[in-house]
């Protein structure tokens, strides 16, 4: 007992991190997986509403018209946020505290542990509620729009109601990240001096879907160093009418960006109509929900404009879903391999399918191979499907391709090609050497 008291006197009473945050409202985004939990406030664009109970949508033409820094308001291409915060907006952080603990939940921020003035207090301590303006004011800024660094906060149960965190009072850390991209630089890729983002992509058709392939990213991705955001998704806007309509107000699909920024995950836009030509535009979505760097602008490819509808012949950013190309779909059979192995559930076919989707589809030469395969594959598969000997020969012929596909998926296409060439060269050399040994003396 004396030893315990001595240690307490030596290191002080412990503060307990026993207030798990369960969610938040009045915010642009919250990441419960980080330590501490991170709450995001996105401020791209301008607000058309001043409600203190809900975020505002700055991705409308009316809102963009208020953004004097953006030259693309009429085209619907200004940096914006569908859940934008503002100083008067009330945010609420929900926590789970032990039933034995009493006191109000309070929040302190900054190096000086300044108390954030709540707009209403919960006597049960299950949440903290304040305006973003009060949060930023406690941090020393007159407006949240001027905050460019992380606001470090500590949410605690103030048992003695003295507005300070004392030893023994339970708390949890929480970070606030306010991200406000400059509309002049972050609205359209290449419109200013900023060239962070994606400068190219190719839409590739499938059955009731289109793949977004060949995205060319700047070296900064996923970090958007101009204002501190991190690109988490590629937003794909699409329209049947033309590039002018594929803007912030159009239908869209979000495709996750890998953490290293090297590739787009799940790169298909599904639910499209076969036989209908769509025009596509892309933008980035950061971790605060800001939509930035639209690409391309309306003038880049005249063949993509509404005057060229509905065919958009020659439009670089258009594609027409077709049923025949839908054989690229994951649940369709792989002609020759399925006929040879007898079932599309065969594990080797799953390797071929994954090789096609991840190695061939994103590359122009790969797509050419796929087209040739889908042109001639059905004829070969129909010929071998009832011939056991032919199936055996095809399985033997496919085995090297299976090994190369498996190796490429694990180590990359270049090492796989080099290994295949090495094995082929070695095999030819050994065959030639054996032939000379066997028949050279005759």
């Amino acid at each position: 007992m004396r030893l315990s008291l001595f240690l307490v006197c030596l290191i002080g009473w412990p503060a307990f991190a026993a207030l798990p945050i369960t969610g938040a409202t009045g915010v642009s985004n919250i990441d419960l997986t980080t330590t501490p939990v991170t709450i995001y406030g996105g401020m791209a664009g301008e607000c058309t509403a001043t409600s203190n109970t809900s975020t505002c949508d700055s991705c409308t033409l009316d809102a963009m018209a208020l953004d004097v820094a953006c030259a693309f308001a009429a085209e619907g291409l200004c940096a914006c946020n569908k859940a934008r915060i503002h100083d008067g907006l009330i945010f609420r952080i929900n926590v789970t505290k032990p039933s034995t603990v009493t006191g109000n939940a309070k929040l302190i921020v900054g190096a000086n542990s300044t108390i954030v003035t709540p707009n209403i207090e919960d006597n049960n301590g299950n949440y903290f509620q304040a305006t973003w303006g009060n949060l930023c004011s406690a941090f020393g800024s007159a407006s949240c729009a001027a905050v460019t660094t992380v606001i470090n906060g500590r949410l605690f149960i103030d048992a003695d109601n003295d507005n300070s965190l004392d030893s023994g009072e339970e708390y949890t850390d929480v970070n606030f990240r306010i991200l406000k991209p400059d509309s002049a630089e972050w609205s359209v890729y290449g419109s200013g001096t900023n060239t962070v983002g994606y400068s190219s992509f190719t839409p590739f058709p499938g059955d009731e879907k289109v793949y977004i392939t060949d995205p060319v990213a700047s070296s900064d991705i996923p970090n958007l160093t101009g204002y501190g955001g991190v690109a988490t998704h590629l937003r794909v806007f699409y329209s049947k009418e033309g590039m002018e309509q594929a803007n912030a107000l159009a239908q869209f699909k979000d495709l996750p960006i890998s953490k290293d920024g090297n590739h787009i995950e799940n790169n298909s836009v599904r639910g499209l109509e076969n036989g209908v030509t769509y025009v596509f535009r892309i933008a980035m979505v950061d971790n605060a929900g800001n939509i930035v760097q639209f690409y391309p602008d309306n003038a880049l490819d005249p063949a993509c404009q509404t005057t060229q509808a509905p065919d958009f012949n020659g439009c670089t950013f258009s594609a027409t879903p077709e049923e025949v190309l839908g054989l690229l779909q994951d649940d369709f059979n792989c002609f020759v391999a399925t006929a040879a192995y007898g079932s599309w559930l065969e594990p080797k076919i799953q390797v071929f399918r994954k090789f096609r989707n991840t190695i061939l589809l994103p590359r122009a030469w790969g797509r050419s191979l796929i087209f040739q395969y889908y042109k001639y594959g059905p004829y070969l598969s129909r010929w071998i499907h009832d011939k056991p000997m032919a199936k055996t020969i095809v399985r033997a012929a496919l085995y090297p391709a299976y090994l190369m596909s498996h190796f490429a998926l694990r180590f990359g296409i270049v090492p796989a090609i080099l290994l295949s060439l090495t094995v082929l060269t070695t095999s030819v050399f050994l065959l030639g050497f054996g032939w000379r040994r066997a028949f050279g003396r005759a």
Side-chain angles (χ1 to χ4, degrees):
M1 182 65 179
R2 290 181 179 178
L3 178 60
S4 299
L5 290 174
F6 171 75
L7 291 175
V8 167
C9 293
L10 182 64
I11 63 177
W13 289 99
F16 302 93
L19 285 177
I21 293 175
T22 58
T25 58
V27 304
S28 298
N29 189 26
I30 179 171
D31 190 346
L32 296 172
T33 66
T34 59
T35 303
V37 167
T38 303
I39 293 176
Y40 292 96
M43 299 193 73
E46 299 294 333
C47 270
T48 57
T50 57
S51 170
N52 65 354
T53 59
S54 62
T55 57
C56 71
D57 184 358
S58 62
C59 297
T60 68
L61 291 180
D62 288 341
M64 291 184 185
L66 300 176
D67 193 346
V68 295
C70 178
F72 300 90
E75 301 173 27
L77 300 180
C78 294
C80 62
N81 194 311
K82 299 188 73 66
R84 188 191 188 279
I85 68 159
H86 54 90
D87 288 344
L89 176 66
I90 297 170
F91 69 88
R92 174 170 168 167
I93 307 173
N94 299 317
V95 297
T96 300
K97 72 173 183 61
S99 58
T100 56
V101 175
T102 59
N104 294 343
K106 296 185 179 179
L107 178 68
I108 52 178
V109 296
N112 296 325
S113 298
T114 305
I115 194 79
V116 178
T117 303
N119 80 305
I120 188 172
E121 291 194 64
D122 172 29
N123 293 328
N124 294 317
N126 293 318
Y127 65 84
F128 176 80
Q129 189 168 295
T131 66
W132 281 92
N134 284 349
L135 170 71
C136 296
S137 177
F139 190 65
S141 177
S143 171
C144 288
V147 177
T148 58
T149 61
V150 176
I151 298 178
N152 304 115
R154 182 160 285 181
L155 188 64
F156 67 101
I157 301 299
D158 193 7
D160 55 7
N161 199 33
D162 65 349
N163 287 337
S164 64
L165 175 60
D166 303 317
S167 295
E169 291 180 336
E170 298 190 18
Y171 75 92
T172 188
D173 289 329
V174 57
N175 287 340
F176 296 85
R177 192 74 174 93
I178 297 172
L179 298 176
K180 183 176 175 59
D182 179 3
S183 296
E185 288 297 310
W186 288 93
S187 288
V188 174
Y189 180 91
S191 61
T193 59
N194 187 359
T195 54
V196 175
Y198 289 84
S199 59
S200 181
F201 69 96
T202 303
F204 182 76
D207 182 25
E208 297 185 347
K209 64 181 176 293
V210 165
Y211 294 92
I212 303 300
T213 66
D214 304 328
V216 178
S218 63
S219 59
D220 304 79
I221 300 297
N223 297 317
L224 308 177
T225 53
Y227 66 95
V230 175
T232 60
H233 291 82
L234 188 75
R235 179 157 294 185
V236 182
F237 301 95
Y238 54 95
S239 172
K240 306 173 188 177
E241 300 177 56
M243 185 63 77
E244 298 96 322
Q245 280 69 38
N247 58 22
L249 286 70
Q251 292 179 292
F252 66 87
K253 172 69 180 294
D254 282 343
L255 307 178
I257 297 174
S258 63
K259 290 185 177 180
D260 59 9
N262 289 334
H263 63 277
I264 306 299
E265 301 173 1
N266 304 320
N267 66 336
S268 62
V269 179
R270 298 175 181 267
L272 305 180
E273 297 179 52
N274 283 341
V276 175
T277 302
Y278 293 84
V279 176
F280 298 86
R281 194 200 307 269
I282 60 175
M284 293 183 298
V285 182
D286 70 19
N287 39 2
N290 294 313
I291 305 168
V292 298
Q293 295 297 69
F294 290 89
Y295 177 86
D297 62 39
N298 290 345
L300 183 61
D301 191 340
C304 300
Q305 299 192 8
T306 55
T307 54
Q308 305 303 312
D311 300 324
F312 300 105
N313 292 326
C315 173
T316 306
F317 305 103
S318 68
T320 307
E322 295 290 354
E323 186 174 359
V324 64
L325 294 177
L327 293 165
L328 294 170
Q329 193 165 304
D330 290 344
D331 57 351
F332 273 79
N333 293 344
C334 183
F335 306 125
V336 178
T338 301
Y341 290 110
S343 171
W344 67 277
L345 295 175
E346 160 67 36
K348 290 184 177 64
I349 294 179
Q350 306 308 313
V351 172
F352 285 132
R353 181 172 287 112
K354 188 173 182 181
F355 174 78
R356 178 197 64 199
N357 291 346
T358 60
I359 301 296
L360 297 182
L361 267 178
R363 296 168 172 85
W365 60 266
R367 292 195 296 275
S368 297
L369 289 177
I370 291 173
F371 274 119
Q372 294 303 314
Y373 177 75
Y374 280 88
K375 183 177 181 180
Y376 299 107
Y379 301 104
L380 179 58
S381 64
R382 282 195 292 269
W383 183 75
I384 70 173
H385 86 279
D386 59 350
K387 299 178 177 63
M389 181 60 69
K391 288 184 179 181
T392 301
I393 293 173
V394 171
R395 283 198 297 268
L398 285 174
Y399 193 71
Y402 162 74
L403 291 178
M404 192 198 79
S405 299
H406 185 79
F407 191 85
L409 289 170
R410 186 169 182 180
F411 300 106
I413 185 62
V414 174
I417 292 175
L418 292 176
L419 178 64
S420 299
L421 291 175
T422 301
V423 172
L424 179 62
T425 303
T426 304
S427 300
V428 171
F429 173 80
L430 291 176
L431 285 173
F433 179 76
W435 180 272
R436 288 192 300 271
R437 288 290 301 270
F439 302 103
R441 298 174 183 173

